[in-house]
Amino acid sequence: MLTALGTTDDKLDGFDAGADDYLVKPFDFRELDARIRVLLKRKGNQPEERRRQQLVYADLSINLQTKTALRGGKEIKLTPKEFNLLTYMVENPERVLSRVEIAEKVWDTHFDTGTNFIDVYINYLQKKIDKDFEMKLIHTKPGMGFMLRREDEDQA
């Protein structure tokens, strides 16, 4: 934050508002430049997950920057919720994801809605992701939840 307000209360308000740094006018451009370099270094040291641009599982790839999904090189048209659900599944492959976990992590819902909306979205994804492919990726585990894993149709 670059401002003429320099009291301690002003600075605390700035940090509380989300500022990473606080510089009071008048200032020396060398100091501003040094502070920017420090922030850029810090940004470069983010965990790998934050810098990742693509998720891949089997022949399915998700580009997190362009919000696109490809299966076998073919683009899959997804709604924003379908994209978020598929991303969560690819981030958690070969693990049963319960309806409660999906509701919390994808929909930010922390209660049982009493509806089957998650089953509906899984069904949409299965039709879009698995329909034209011999190897099925999205599986229902009755009474438990859903799982992303490689499985040929004749193994199912």
Side-chain angles (χ1 to χ4, degrees):
M1 186 173 278
L2 182 60
T3 179
L5 304 174
T7 69
T8 300
D9 286 339
D10 293 329
K11 291 176 185 178
L12 292 174
D13 287 343
F15 286 118
D16 287 343
D20 287 322
D21 201 351
Y22 197 98
L23 188 60
V24 179
K25 292 192 252 180
F27 61 92
D28 187 309
F29 275 101
R30 294 174 300 167
E31 181 181 0
L32 175 62
D33 186 50
R35 288 175 185 242
I36 289 171
R37 282 195 314 268
V38 167
L39 289 172
L40 289 174
K41 278 185 201 173
R42 190 181 310 158
K43 182 176 173 111
N45 290 330
Q46 289 181 348
E48 181 61 30
E49 301 100 52
R50 295 180 116 177
R51 289 185 279 150
R52 225 179 2 197
Q53 294 184 8
Q54 190 164 8
L55 301 172
V56 177
Y57 184 82
D59 62 345
L60 174 66
S61 64
I62 298 174
N63 186 311
L64 300 172
Q65 301 299 309
T66 61
K67 305 284 190 209
T68 55
L70 300 174
R71 173 96 196 258
K74 177 184 168 192
E75 185 171 356
I76 309 292
K77 301 285 185 198
L78 300 171
T79 66
K81 278 297 180 195
E82 291 168 345
F83 181 85
N84 292 341
L85 176 56
L86 183 61
T87 298
Y88 188 71
M89 293 184 82
V90 172
E91 289 172 336
N92 296 278
E94 300 174 15
R95 181 170 81 78
V96 175
L97 304 173
S98 71
R99 287 169 181 81
V100 170
E101 179 181 351
I102 292 170
E104 288 178 358
K105 303 295 185 182
V106 178
W107 272 267
D108 199 27
T109 301
H110 301 284
F111 58 91
D112 182 4
T113 63
T115 67
N116 66 341
F117 70 98
I118 292 171
D119 298 72
V120 169
Y121 274 90
I122 291 289
N123 190 340
Y124 291 158
L125 279 183
Q126 286 172 322
K127 287 179 182 173
K128 291 181 177 186
I129 300 300
D130 288 339
K131 184 178 100 177
D132 297 328
F133 296 90
E134 190 173 315
M135 181 177 29
K136 305 305 177 194
L137 296 178
I138 300 172
H139 305 277
T140 301
K141 295 294 204 177
M144 293 185 274
F146 307 96
M147 178 182 245
L148 183 74
R149 107 172 162 247
R150 296 170 180 90
E151 187 175 285
D152 291 333
E153 201 168 23
D154 50 357
Q155 291 178 333

